[in-house]
Amino acid sequence: MGTTVFNPVQQHLLTMFAFDGSEERLKEVKAVLFNYFQQKMDQRLNELWDSGILDQKKLDELRTKHLRTDLK
């Protein structure tokens, strides 16, 4: 098995959890990360909507598309 190299974010999280690795802390961190990335996604979607790249017609098209791929 090869060596795993952690990026700076992973290193920071490991250091942080060395002090308090409780289940409660994990839930809090998950919630914070979820909210952060949800805000980023909302911001990007608003930019796409405002620029006209994304509109109701495009959303309706995406609703009927099969986006899953076979990983074989």
Side-chain angles (χ1 to χ4, degrees), residues 9 13 17 26-39:
V9 172
L13 289 172
F17 280 110
L26 175 61
K27 288 178 184 178
E28 291 174 1
V29 170
K30 282 183 174 182
V32 168
L33 289 173
F34 177 84
N35 290 333
Y36 171 79
F37 285 110
Q38 182 180 27
Q39 288 174 355

Side-chain angles (χ1 to χ4, degrees), residues 5-22:
V5 178
F6 294 112
N7 66 43
V9 172
Q10 291 168 320
Q11 291 173 359
H12 182 76
L13 289 172
L14 286 172
T15 302
M16 185 178 73
F17 280 110
F19 298 107
D20 182 2
S22 67

Side-chain angles (χ1 to χ4, degrees), residues 22-62:
S22 67
E23 191 70 26
E24 178 71 23
R25 182 70 59 213
L26 175 61
K27 288 178 184 178
E28 291 174 1
V29 170
K30 282 183 174 182
V32 168
L33 289 173
F34 177 84
N35 290 333
Y36 171 79
F37 285 110
Q38 182 180 27
Q39 288 174 355
K40 289 289 212 181
M41 184 180 66
D42 286 345
Q43 180 182 20
R44 182 63 180 134
L45 287 171
N46 285 336
E47 290 169 1
L48 291 171
W49 189 273
D50 292 342
S51 69
I53 295 172
L54 184 64
D55 57 15
Q56 190 59 50
K57 181 180 176 188
K58 186 67 171 177
L59 290 176
D60 292 340
E61 289 173 14
L62 289 172

